[in-house]
Amino acid sequence: MKRYMAIYLGSESEEAMKKWQSMDPVTRKAKDQEGMTAWMNWGVKYNANILDHGAPLGKTKHVSAKGISDTKNRMAAYTIVQAESHEEAAKIFLNHPHFTIFPGDSVEIMECLPMPSM
C-alpha cells in the first residue's frame, strides 16, 4: 500500500467559518460535540487505513534565503493514511466531518513519495 498525506484546509475568512463563529455558545457546543463524535466514528471506520491521526496545525513561519517571517496559509490539520491508490485514499475523505459538520473547506490528499536514491 502507498502512503498519503491529507491536509485539511479552511480559512478564518470563509463564509462557513464566519457562520460557525456567530453561533450562540449552546448551539456551537452541540455542533462541536456532533462533529467530534462524527470524526471519531470516521477514525474507527478507517482505522486500518490511518497510519497517523495527525493533529491540528498552529501558526506558520516562512523560512527562505531572506530569513524567517510570519505567514498564513489555509492548512488546518493533517492525517497520514495508506491505500492501494490515490483515488482510494481520496475516497476515505468523502463526506468527512471537517467540511460536513465543521466549517472546514476541503481536504487535499497527496502521495508521500519515496526519497530518490543517490
Side-chain angles (χ1 to χ4, degrees):
M1 285 218 229
K2 297 178 181 180
R3 292 182 321 139
Y4 298 88
M5 175 179 270
I7 301 291
Y8 301 88
L9 300 175
S11 171
E12 295 281 327
S13 63
E14 291 176 17
E15 198 58 41
M17 181 60 83
K18 291 176 185 177
K19 184 177 176 183
W20 180 268
Q21 291 173 333
S22 69
M23 282 185 204
D24 68 86
V26 173
T27 303
R28 186 171 172 179
K29 185 175 181 175
K31 280 301 260 188
D32 200 30
Q33 184 60 47
E34 176 189 355
M36 289 310 297
T37 299
W39 202 305
M40 298 313 262
N41 290 339
W42 172 85
V44 169
K45 180 177 180 179
Y46 292 104
N47 187 55
N49 297 90
I50 298 171
L51 299 176
D52 181 348
H53 284 274
L57 299 171
K59 293 182 179 180
T60 304
K61 294 282 186 188
H62 178 85
V63 181
S64 71
K66 295 178 182 179
I68 301 170
S69 61
D70 291 333
T71 190
K72 289 189 175 204
N73 59 47
R74 299 180 61 241
M75 291 184 262
Y78 77 96
T79 298
I80 307 290
V81 299
Q82 64 182 356
E84 292 295 333
S85 69
H86 204 166
E87 185 71 21
E88 290 303 311
K91 287 179 182 178
I92 292 169
F93 296 89
L94 282 173
N95 300 309
H96 193 281
H98 173 68
F99 52 82
T100 60
I101 298 172
F102 289 116
D105 176 51
S106 60
V107 181
E108 292 187 0
I109 298 92
M110 60 213 82
E111 185 176 352
C112 299
L113 300 172
M115 289 295 290
S117 58
M118 300 290 261

